[in-house]
Amino acid sequence: MAKLIQFRTSIQEKEARLIEGMAEERRQTQYELYAYCADYFWDNYKGVFFAGESAAEEIFQNSFIAFWENIERRKIYVENGIVMGKGDVPLDGSILTYFMSIARNKYLEYGREHPVYADPETELGRLIKEEGVDANAYTDMLYDSDENMMLDIIADVISHMSPRCNQILTKFYYEEKKLEVILTEISAIESYKALKSKKHKCMETLRKSAKDIYYRRLNS
């Protein structure tokens, strides 16, 4: 039987190096992985979490600690240059996706300890006070066994957006491509600045639509 050769992208090689460096307790790699996760988290958390910046900061810190512990416990590790995950199989997707799954769980934990309706700094906290949303109903819905409800809503909204927004957000969030790469793949957009502006507008539309649907489900 011919030996299977698995080709790796530069991002996969970088992520394998970061995980391996963390496992070997390399101080510089610790800083690099922290920055790698932080950049992605702060660029994306508002599209997923109903949390103010102070709450998000705590969620991020707790998530990174848990990520680090998973590396130490070899729940995620590197073998033959490949990042391995649950079941000792290659990780499905980027380590950033893995990190954000930890962050989602930490967000739920934070919410249980700090009910969002009691936090005046969050947008939902203000809405509940101003619009009279039932706090108990909200809590029941937020911590339902279907923890991916908001992610399902976001995916549905993206599928119904304009072709250009659908294209940009799919490449950015699901294919996890950098804007520089996306720019080379969408010839109709001529500059990085234009792409960044369009992505921002698409994200604002997505955020508003997803929240509107979420609130309607909450009150139905």
Side-chain angles (χ1 to χ4, degrees), residues 26-173:
R26 299 175 192 165
R27 180 62 59 87
Q28 187 58 42
T29 305
Q30 293 170 1
Y31 295 142
E32 189 177 352
L33 180 61
Y34 183 94
Y36 189 56
C37 292
D39 288 345
Y40 190 80
F41 179 89
W42 291 111
D43 281 345
N44 295 285
Y45 88 95
K46 288 184 178 179
V48 179
F49 304 150
F50 293 126
E53 288 192 7
S54 60
E57 177 64 32
E58 183 170 341
I59 292 166
F60 171 76
Q61 298 298 337
N62 291 339
S63 300
F64 188 76
I65 291 171
F67 187 23
W68 194 338
E69 290 174 344
N70 284 356
I71 295 171
E72 290 180 336
R73 295 168 182 169
R74 286 183 61 81
K75 290 185 176 181
I76 178 173
Y77 62 97
V78 175
E79 184 175 283
N80 297 324
I82 304 296
V83 179
M84 310 292 285
K86 187 176 181 179
D88 297 320
V89 298
L91 194 68
D92 184 17
S94 166
I95 64 172
L96 294 173
T97 304
Y98 179 91
F99 174 77
M100 289 303 286
S101 70
I102 295 175
R104 282 193 288 273
N105 290 331
K106 291 301 178 183
Y107 167 64
L108 292 172
E109 290 177 10
Y110 183 91
R112 293 187 182 101
E113 297 172 0
H114 308 81
V116 69
Y117 54 82
D119 184 353
E121 293 185 1
T122 65
E123 181 175 352
L124 269 183
R126 290 193 298 272
L127 285 171
I128 288 169
K129 293 179 184 300
E130 294 170 3
E131 300 183 12
V133 176
D134 181 76
N136 292 326
Y138 169 74
T139 304
D140 291 341
M141 188 173 192
L142 181 62
Y143 304 124
D144 187 80
S145 59
D146 183 10
E147 296 179 356
N148 292 318
M149 181 182 62
M150 175 52 75
L151 297 179
D152 292 338
I153 291 173
I154 290 172
D156 183 62
V157 172
I158 290 177
S159 71
H160 290 89
M161 294 181 78
S162 69
R164 183 65 71 218
C165 281
N166 182 298
Q167 184 181 31
I168 292 172
L169 295 181
T170 296
K171 288 179 179 294
F172 188 81
Y173 289 106

Side-chain angles (χ1 to χ4, degrees), residues 146-204:
D146 183 10
E147 296 179 356
N148 292 318
M149 181 182 62
M150 175 52 75
L151 297 179
D152 292 338
I153 291 173
I154 290 172
D156 183 62
V157 172
I158 290 177
S159 71
H160 290 89
M161 294 181 78
S162 69
R164 183 65 71 218
C165 281
N166 182 298
Q167 184 181 31
I168 292 172
L169 295 181
T170 296
K171 288 179 179 294
F172 188 81
Y173 289 106
Y174 295 108
E175 297 177 14
E176 299 176 353
K177 294 180 178 178
K178 299 288 187 180
L179 291 181
E180 293 88 345
V181 175
I182 297 174
L183 183 61
T184 67
E185 297 178 348
I186 305 179
S187 59
I189 300 179
E190 298 180 351
S191 69
Y192 180 87
K193 182 177 180 181
L195 174 59
K196 188 174 181 180
S197 176
K198 183 63 177 177
K199 181 252 179 183
H200 175 75
K201 291 178 181 178
C202 292
M203 190 61 219
E204 288 301 308

